[in-house]
Amino acid sequence: MTRVTVWNEHRQERSDAPVSAVYPDGIHTPIAEALREAGFDVRVATLDEPEHGLTDAVLAATDVLTWWGHVAHGEVDDAIVDRVQRRVLDGMGLIVLHSGHHSKVFRRLMGTSCDLKWRESGERERLWVVDPAHPIAAGLGESFVIEEEEMYGEFFDIPAPDELVFVSWFQGGEVFRSGCGYHRGRGRVFYFRPGHETHPTYFHPDVRRVIANAAGWAAGPAGDQPGFGNRQPLEPTVRS
Amino acid sequence: MTRVTVWNEHRQERSDAPVSAVYPDGIHTPIAEALREAGFDVRVATLDEPEHGLTDAVLAATDVLTWWGHVAHGEVDDAIVDRVQRRVLDGMGLIVLHSGHHSKVFRRLMGTSCDLKWRESGERERLWVVDPAHPIAAGLGESFVIEEEEMYGEFFDIPAPDELVFVSWFQGGEVFRSGCGYHRGRGRVFYFRPGHETHPTYFHPDVRRVIANAAGWAAGPAGDQPGFGNRQPLEPTVRS
Amino acid sequence: MTRVTVWNEHRQERSDAPVSAVYPDGIHTPIAEALREAGFDVRVATLDEPEHGLTDAVLAATDVLTWWGHVAHGEVDDAIVDRVQRRVLDGMGLIVLHSGHHSKVFRRLMGTSCDLKWRESGERERLWVVDPAHPIAAGLGESFVIEEEEMYGEFFDIPAPDELVFVSWFQGGEVFRSGCGYHRGRGRVFYFRPGHETHPTYFHPDVRRVIANAAGWAAGPAGDQPGFGNRQPLEPTVRS
Amino acid sequence: MTRVTVWNEHRQERSDAPVSAVYPDGIHTPIAEALREAGFDVRVATLDEPEHGLTDAVLAATDVLTWWGHVAHGEVDDAIVDRVQRRVLDGMGLIVLHSGHHSKVFRRLMGTSCDLKWRESGERERLWVVDPAHPIAAGLGESFVIEEEEMYGEFFDIPAPDELVFVSWFQGGEVFRSGCGYHRGRGRVFYFRPGHETHPTYFHPDVRRVIANAAGWAAGPAGDQPGFGNRQPLEPTVRS
């Protein structure tokens, strides 16, 4: 059974009334529920736990990590960022959600600023599938709508996705590459845009389905652990 | 259970002693065996059957089609090529093997000449995994060796693969992109290089594993069938 | 000096009053003007000329071909399509405009249906740059607006672009990958969405700039003509 | 005139006899010569200068930076790495050479370990062009040979290149993706494999041509500087 660790900063839900009104048990709770309903073995980890809940033992027992953070990116310990990056390169899947675009973990793995335009406007978002051959699009229609969301607009400063699955339309005139797959080392990374803390986005059935599909995609079989360093020749190298 | 149709030209095995010595029951037989051993529901179709064995009914009941052809590409009916292309765009997986690079089906789907350099020399080929995060690399080492194969060398006139999984090294000094994944419409296409008719390549355990992995990858879940054509607006388009 | 051939179907401008009102001299005329202003050596070719104006001699003297067609795709001779495809693979640039998505030439080179959703509504289109490192984006702002255009919506059945430069937003709720670059053989191909025959899109300064940028990009230096076929080994292949 | 800064660690040439025998004036000297001969305006910067020679003023006046380092990657100041990364995202080109794969700058921009297999064996390397449509391949044959080089072998832990131009063959049985292009932010990055300090690789005419081509490619026109942060809507967002 695929083991998913749902990581959440878990700050605004405890301090900010409009957020706790929507996510009284933390944003991690509906995300974890969605994954459990889809058959995953789920645990939760949060920023204020020792080592942010991401000990070596937890990561070793994690096939896929999901990441939501917003106001406290700077409090994430660089040693934990190193550890998560190494574990992804060693084969752990990673799903970065919404404002996690600015997390140290995502910026580390992308190598870019991961910056974007934004507007807290509660406007309508339509997510269009631009790669219907992709397993993360399974079970969805050609597009789906989130009635009220924060806007994220291009330019999104990421490497061109290896696999672009969704593009968002926003009422205010912007577009956004909102479902972006990457292979990094032996691991797979998926960025998924929706999920502002004042909107009930993680209760939306299509959003939940995408997260579950992404966990399945990120956890699938992969190749052998590569070796690095000095090597003897496999074939004769005498000069002819 | 995933349904695979193994398509074979099946000519040289019946007419050419060095080929029938290696593949007395046709090249399709070890390919079909490898897939059955991996748990697929397999049928075989060949060029000289009516409609080349690829009727609408057969294709409708095929999740993944494998394709081996060599000396009779020109005899494949263009109407069947149209049909296979449509079925791939509608979601059927396609695995093109070795000299199938010059098949009408592959050239149609790639849009290029699919030409390459070659040499029938029985030299050593090493296939290196260049994407260890890819499911088609599962269960393999970092590289594997085929002791005697035909050489295929770059430039291989294909679109840059969406997913490059293997690169081959040949004794004679050439390299080749030998495991190439593509999304086309709702379907997935994988080209896999090895498989010359005078070498027992399709009995090689790693070659068989790659073909089974590719069938699993090509048959996985995908998004909804897209709609095309004239559409009413989803949002108000009055000029503001 | 880079030589561009501007190809136009040139039918609706002669038969259809709303089209001739906007493009009395043919859609090719403002396209050719834009390219001449940008310093290219431009000639025009149209469907009703012998060999559609695309003789071997013309193509041999063409560094970049632009293609606009709409109602008469089916009248383009397959032999000319073969010739254009070969010339692209041999290094000629190709810029496919708007309804040229359904041309035989583009579908041949893409290997897919190139189908899409559409609506003749004169609604607003915003084109966003999603790759500011791309030379085709030079001289533009972060986005630009066409006040009235036909809508094209996803899913656009093309191979994932090698280089995605623009994504369009439409008033009616759709998005579209509207600037798509490809390498095919030794040639470069760019698809650019805008350009409906009843709107003055080809007089829009940013549209003209994109077409000129694309011609420069498609005509730039490239590698040697590849060789194909049987080859002697470059290194000793005796079995060790 | 395009301004290139050639950065070199410049340590082994001063301390290690076999290196100074080949590069008595530093590895940067033949690289700078190659670029000057190709018409670039070249300056040199080295590790032991203040701020490693990469002050804000120098980077602001640099269109393309080339990077060679090997034994002292750890001595490069993180603040300078930050500065180079920012400048690349703002539009400066970057060409990373050989053992620069392990530099902080390259690892930062790639987000991966950039590790690989290696062997100091002086064996033969053949570099094959796998994208003849790419401007960096201009003026080369289909492949070229370096008679004696260090071997680098896959798996090379980098993001799949946006543009894969060269694949290397080594006598000892390995292959390597040795010419890798990336767009990052508004900048372009090229990794080019050859260049071991004990071989006269930077006097090889094809190697010099590749570096000059890459500088031209990396310095070409690009799009506007993107804006980030909070934005007002461009279209009415009242709920319909």
Side-chain angles (χ1 to χ4, degrees), chain C residues 124 131-133 183 188 223 235, chain D residues 124 131-133 183 188 223 235:
Chain C
R124 192 177 300 130
D131 183 359
H183 288 192
R188 299 178 198 128
E235 300 280 338
Chain D
R124 192 177 299 132
D131 183 359
H183 288 192
R188 298 177 199 130
E235 300 280 340

Side-chain angles (χ1 to χ4, degrees), chain D residues 24-106:
Chain D
D25 302 316
I27 278 178
H28 52 274
T29 299
I31 295 172
E33 279 171 6
L35 288 159
R36 283 195 190 100
E37 284 166 15
F40 294 96
D41 175 19
V42 181
R43 78 164 84 196
V44 167
T46 57
L47 179 65
D48 291 328
E49 296 173 50
E51 305 184 43
H52 312 322
L54 299 174
T55 61
D56 278 322
V58 166
L59 288 183
T62 297
D63 300 308
V64 179
L65 177 68
T66 74
W67 193 278
W68 197 101
H70 184 208
V71 295
H73 293 314
E75 294 180 42
V76 175
D77 191 318
D78 287 337
I80 306 298
V81 175
D82 292 347
R83 186 185 286 171
V84 170
Q85 179 188 26
R86 268 199 313 271
R87 204 38 206 108
V88 169
L89 299 179
D90 284 354
M92 181 181 71
L94 176 69
I95 302 173
V96 176
L97 295 168
H98 190 62
S99 45
H101 74 90
H102 254 166
S103 64
K104 288 182 177 180
V105 160
F106 190 57

Side-chain angles (χ1 to χ4, degrees), chain D residues 18-19 21-23 27 30 146-149 194-205 207-208:
Chain D
V19 180
V22 183
Y23 295 109
I27 278 178
I146 303 174
E147 281 300 326
E148 298 196 352
E149 250 294 344
H196 192 58
E197 65 273 10
T198 60
H199 300 299
T201 299
Y202 293 117
F203 298 100
H204 188 299
V207 168
R208 290 163 82 103

